[in-house]
Structure formats: structure tokens, C-alpha cells
Amino acid sequence: MARGKLRIYLGAAPGVGKTYAMLSEAHRRVERGTDCVVAFVEHHDRPRTEVMLHGLEQIPRRELEYRGTTFTEMDVDAVLARKPQVALVDELAHTNVPGSRHTKRWQDVEELLAAGIDVISTVNIQHLESLGDVGEAITGIRQKETVPDEVVRRADQIELVDMSPQALRRRMAHGNIYKPDKVDAALSNYFRPGNLTALRELALLWVADRVDEYLQQYRGEHDIRTTWQARERIVVGLTGGPEGHTLIRRAARLAEKGAGGEVLAVYIARSDGLTSASPKQLAVQRTLVEDLGGTFHHVIGDDIPNALLDFARGVNATQIVLGASRRKSWQYMFEPGVSATVARESGPDLDVHIVTHDEVAKGRGLPLARGARLGRARIIWGWLVGVLGPLLLTYALTHVDAGPDLTNNVLVFLALTVGAALLGGLLPALASAAAGSLLLNWFFTPPVHTWTIADPADIVAIVVFFAVAVSVASVVDLAARRTHQAARLRAESEILSFLAGNVLRGETGLEALLERVRETFAMDTVVLLERETDVAPWTVTAGVGEPRPLERPEDADVDMPVGDHMALALTGRVLPAEDRRVLAAFAAQAAVVLDRQRLQVQADQAEELAEGNRIRTALLAAVSHDLRTPLAAIKAGVSSLRSADVEWSEEDQAELLESIEEGADRLDHLVGNLLDISRLQTGTVTPLIREIDLDEVVPMALGGVPEDSVELDIPETLPMVAVDPGLLERTVANVVENAVKYSPAGEKVLVLASALGDRVDVRVVDRGPGVPDEAKERIFAPFQRYGDAPRGAGVGLGLAVARGFAEAMGGTLNAEDTPGGGLTMVLTLQAAPGRPAVRPDLPVTTMTRTLRT
């Protein structure tokens, strides 16, 4: 008998629609004539899911009694007896009631599959055995019901039921997942946006890995040996030229065409001094790559094509994007160019794209930064022309029957000498001039094949030839060197201009600047050293590159003093003298950046002092107004009672005494908050942490609010919390008083608590006007009232004191929107390790009792 096929709908969280999708598939199969039954589906009182069960045959469940309670489970025997083509079995990770045939529902499914019945089931990602600890780290809840990964991996088809966290929370808020009385707790705990986003990413990654497994299995079954480049990784070769923007955008478009495409931009720098690219262009291109989601890499290598290919193979790239060469046509005489070499050497598994752009064949136009040194290829060609050229030219002229006369021969040899100077510089040109003079004497000056010269005019011609050749070679070589020096100066000016602009605009940090130094000069390590006095030891202020201990500037390969007590130290190689001028500018800028950072620290400290002055000013304002108000009421009441002119009745006396008491209480509350904020500002709050139950502290904090204004829900199963009871009481009291103050008449404030992982949340929920997102942090600032409009007593310190006390105890206090309108204050506390919380099966905290004040 053939084994049945298993199809699983995988979700990231409850409510994404796994069961709904399974029932929709069942209806489609029934319409096609497939014998499909519902073996077990749990709709959890969700109306939309329950409606989908209509029209489908349902196998009656088996009833089991356990500890005096009747439970229902899937009747495996009834399903086997019915023997449908397809059976729907919900909640694959479910644990069966004791007394069932199997312990786990996935074992029931295995029996159905062995009987040749196809099964469609559902499971959430956090119920996989291997991901239990990951799910607990994300949600704080350890799932007791799990299914082995191998059971899910063996499924013939896995379909991800995906939904964005925002859409799932809206579905929850509309009551489509849980009952209304559980919505607030669920949104505040398990269904937080961060939890849902992390679970969604976990599900997507797991399914992606499963797709890779399917692909490898298919390739193995069909004996496919060639590489399938399922995930594109594209390397972009940059030169620092203006065409880089075009190449980066083209690579990004290529990456977007494939799933999971990645762009890696790389610049290959030579190891012989300053890099030959425009640092301004490279910085702009680095930013562009990062904005498009790629990464930028800087590699040192003298052989650019090989270095580029080594990098591409090292990162397992599938494609290389290069720009068409900016060389002039005649420059191809010396070497084929980077693009052609990379395309030739790339091999069959690495595609090379050569992209055209506006700079094609316009010349390099880049500021060369290797000073007056010519390239190795040009020097070799210069010597070949200077030494072999005269020999070949002599051979050609001697084999011409009616060859040119001596004057024309001198001109031809002179042209050859100029060519050697253009290619290889002065030395090859001198060699060409000397060889040309000897060859002219031996082969073309009568008497030939002797070193003697019969005609004095020929002597003059050869001497003039040598002199002119040397002069022209010197001028050509000098012009070439001046050109390279000008290019170098242009490179230096661009570097310094871009560097100065960044520093003046404050766009470059110290480490970023040192990294620029390391890349520019191709060094291993760059360290900024500093000491306080001439005899004090050096200390490392900042550094980048490979770790190498540097205690003194003298230990480095290159050191550049910056003032009397600072030095920039570099390791890797010795820099030529001409590079030290630019290095000195970098060192000076590093000192400027360091000073800027220190000034910023001082400015921050000054801002803190200014904030303290602002608080003191606000405190004086509070003393002058808010504190005088209750004092005035107290004085008026006392003066009235002491007045001998009026005889007060007992009721009047009681009313005056009540006003005095209210004023004193109000004054005590204001003074207490002022003292608390002062302690928080000076950092003198020292909490005495001990383990305590919330229900011992929270009810005591509600004494300052009217009766029947607060509804208190605290589960008995909550763990103890590690707090300072006095600070916790003040924190809860301030938050609750604020919530009661802004709640509409007749609306009670809800105070509830729940446990999640190693923390306990106390939530104070009101149905007031709420607070916009941009103002949620501002309401915790001292002397702030929402809308800057006073309402009732207070100087705007309650929430500031509450957050300060919460943070002093190692907790947090944040504001969230209440679903349906209002504001929810979330006080998060550390659970004590002594008594663990009881984990509910559902990801919603169940309230077990209600206390009313």
C-alpha cells in the first residue's frame, strides 16, 4: 500500500489563517470530486473559521475522561474505517489526553499516512522541537507541545501562511482571534510587534532552508552536476571613476531580478603608495552601494584582474559587473585591459558583464598617484624599442636596395629615440641614441663596416643626431614626469579638499578618518597616540586595522608628529617622502576631529548643566505658584477658625478642617514629588531590592484615588518581583493617579499584571484622550503636562518620578496606545528567581481574581 502524502500549512503565530487556508483547500478538493473529510479541526470560536466547516464531512470525535473532565480527541479508528482520500487534522503538535492511542497527534497522523490516507495539517514555527528555545527567547513562553523537525521536514508539501505583524494585530484588535476580554493582554504580551516580526522572520528562514533542501534533493535525483546559481551574488569592480554610479545601479537591478540577490562593490588599490582613484568619487560610491543594500570592500593588489577574480571567488560570487574601458584605442598595444583579462580568466561559472557608459574611450582622466614612476609595462616596452628597435631598423634599411641617404636615416633613428623616450623615459632613450649612433657609423657612413668616417660632414651629422636625440629624450621625459607630478598634485588636492570638507561639516568620525588613512596609503594599522607631557607614557587614543601593539611612535613603520604631545603611527610599509605631505594633512585633521569630539563632550556636559538650571528654574516656578496655592488654602482655613468675629457651626468647622487637611495632603504630595525628582537628578536614589508579591504592594498604592475608580486584576500565579517596595508603591501610585485624572467620568482605570519570561508587566489602562506617538516620551520629562494645559493639582512630576524610580529598580516604564482609545502605561519589572511563573498553554495571561478599591 502506498504511503499517504502530508501537506502542512506553517504559520508564525496563532491567527495568521492556517486553519482557514486548510479548510479552503478542502473545499477546493471537494469541488474537484476528492473524498475529503474533517478528522479534527479546532475553530476556537472564530466565526469565519467555523463557517468554513459547513459543507465538509466531519468524523465524530472520541470522548475521553481525565480527572473528572471530559475531553474530545480525534478518533483514529473512525478515520481509518472511513478511509477517505484526504483527512484534515489540525494542530499537528497537539498532545493527546492520557488514554489516547498515541501520546502526540503527529503520531496519529503517521498512522493515517501509513494507511495510505493523505493528510493536511497545520503547525506554528515555534512548535518545532529544535526551535523551542528560540521561540522562548523571543516570546518568553516555552511551548510544551512540540513536533519533531523530521516529521515536518518529511512533509511532501509545506506552505507558509504569511501575514504582516500590523495586519495580525489589527485582526486581533477586531476580535477575530481571541475573545474581547483577552485582546488587550494578548496585544501587550505575545502579540507585540517585535515578537511577531521575529517569529515571522524565523518562519521565512526555515521555509527558505527547506526550499534549498528540495532543490538539492531534486538535483541529486536527476544527477545534475553543474552549478545552479540559485542565489545571485554580484561583484562590482570600481575604479573610482565617474562610471561607478552606472555600474552600481546596473548591479542592483541584476540583483533584484533574483531572490536574495546581493551586491558587493570592490575597489582594488595598488600597494605602491597613494591609491590611483578619486577618494571623493569612492566615498560617494560607497554611500550609494550601502543605500542600495550592498557592501563596499577595499582590497590591496598589484595585479588588478587576478585580485578581482580572487575576491569574487572568495565570496562565492556568480557575476562580475565591470565598466567598458576608458582607454584610448592606441593604449591597447601595451596590455588588453582589466575587463578583457577578467572576462578571459573568469571561467564558465562566473559571468562577466561589461557595461557601456558615457566615459568609454575618453581616457582614464583619473589622478594618478604614483608620482613620477612609470608603469612596469611601459618601461619594458621603452627598453625594447630603445635597444631592439635600432637593430631591427638597421636590418630593414640594409635590405632595401635603394635605401634612403644618411640624412633620412638619421631622422628615422631620431624618431625611434623619441618613441623610446615616450614609452620608457630617459634611460631607454639614451640607450636608443647611443645604439643608433654606433649603427649609423658602422652601416651607413662611408667607409661602411668600419668605425672610421671619411667625410667630416657625416661626423657632424652623427654628433648632431646624438645631441638632438639626447635633448629631445630629456625634454620628452621631463614633460612626462611633469604630467605625472601634476596628476599626483591633483590627486592630493582632491584628497585634501574632500577631507577638509568632511571634517568641517562634522561628517567624519575619528575612526572613519583613520580608516581613510589606512585605505589611502595601503597600510595595515593606523593608530593615533597621545601623551600629556614630554615624559609621560604614550596612550592609544584611537586605531584601526590589524591589531598590533604600539607603545611609542618609534615602534611604527611611519610616524607623523602632530604638535608636541600627539603622533600618528602607521605600520605595514615605509612611505616614500613625497607621500608624507598628504600624511601630515591627515594627521592634522585627525587632531581637529579629536578636538571636535572632546568639545562635543564638553558641550554635552554644558547641556546637562543647562538642563539642571532649567529644572531649578521650573522648581522655583512651582514653589512660587503650585506650592503657594495649598498654603493659601491652609492659611485661609486656619485664619477663619481663629477669627473671634464669626461663630462657626460644627458643620462649617468640619468643612474648614477638611479644606486644611486637603491642602496639607496636596502640599505633602507636591513636596514629595519635588524631593523625589531632586534625588533622581542628583543620583542619590538607592533602592533596597527584595523579593515581594505584587498583590502586597499594588493595592497599597491605590489609597490616593477615589473609590470605585480602579479595577485591579492580578493573577495568583504571578512570580515574585525583585523591587524596592517603597519605590514600587510610589511608582504605581503616580501612574494610577495620572490615569484616573485623565479618564472620562464613569470609566474605571484597569490595573492588570502578567508574567512573560523573566519579567512581570504591570499595565495601567485608561480610556482617556490618549497621547500622540510624538509626545509619548515627552510626557516623562519633568514639569511637563500633556498639551501644556494644567488640569487639577500637580506640577508635572508624577510620570517623571515614576520612570526614574522604575529605572532605579532595573525596570522600565513606557506608554502605549490602548486598543479602542486611551493610554496604557507599561511598568516592566524583573521577576525574582525564587518562584517561577506558571506558563499558560495559550499565549494570553489568564486573570484569576478581581480586586476592587
Side-chain angles (χ1 to χ4, degrees), residues 557-617:
D557 296 322
V558 180
D559 69 282
M560 177 60 63
V562 187
D564 297 331
H565 302 132
M566 190 179 298
L568 189 64
L570 299 83
T571 62
R573 63 187 180 87
V574 178
L575 286 181
E578 59 266 23
D579 287 348
R580 295 183 65 87
R581 182 172 63 252
V582 179
L583 181 61
F586 271 108
Q589 295 291 13
V592 171
V593 173
L594 181 60
D595 290 340
R596 182 189 295 274
Q597 290 182 351
R598 290 174 175 171
L599 290 173
Q600 184 63 45
V601 172
Q602 296 175 4
D604 293 340
Q605 294 174 350
E607 186 177 352
E608 291 179 1
L609 294 176
E611 177 66 16
N613 290 332
R614 189 189 68 82
I615 292 177
R616 281 191 289 271
T617 302

Side-chain angles (χ1 to χ4, degrees), residues 330 333-334 374-386 416-426 428-429 476-477 480 484:
W330 62 268
M333 296 172 53
F334 308 112
L374 299 175
R376 180 181 303 176
R378 288 188 59 177
I379 293 176
I380 293 175
W381 275 101
W383 280 103
L384 290 176
V385 173
L416 191 64
T417 301
V418 173
L422 289 172
L423 291 175
L426 181 60
V476 171
D477 178 72
H484 287 297

Side-chain angles (χ1 to χ4, degrees), residues 229-235 251-264 289 292-295 316-319:
Q229 300 167 351
R231 181 174 296 181
E232 296 293 348
R233 184 171 283 111
I234 303 171
V235 170
R253 291 195 297 270
L254 290 173
E256 290 174 355
K257 294 180 180 179
E262 183 180 358
V263 176
L264 300 90
V289 170
L292 293 175
T295 56
N316 195 28
T318 58
Q319 301 181 54

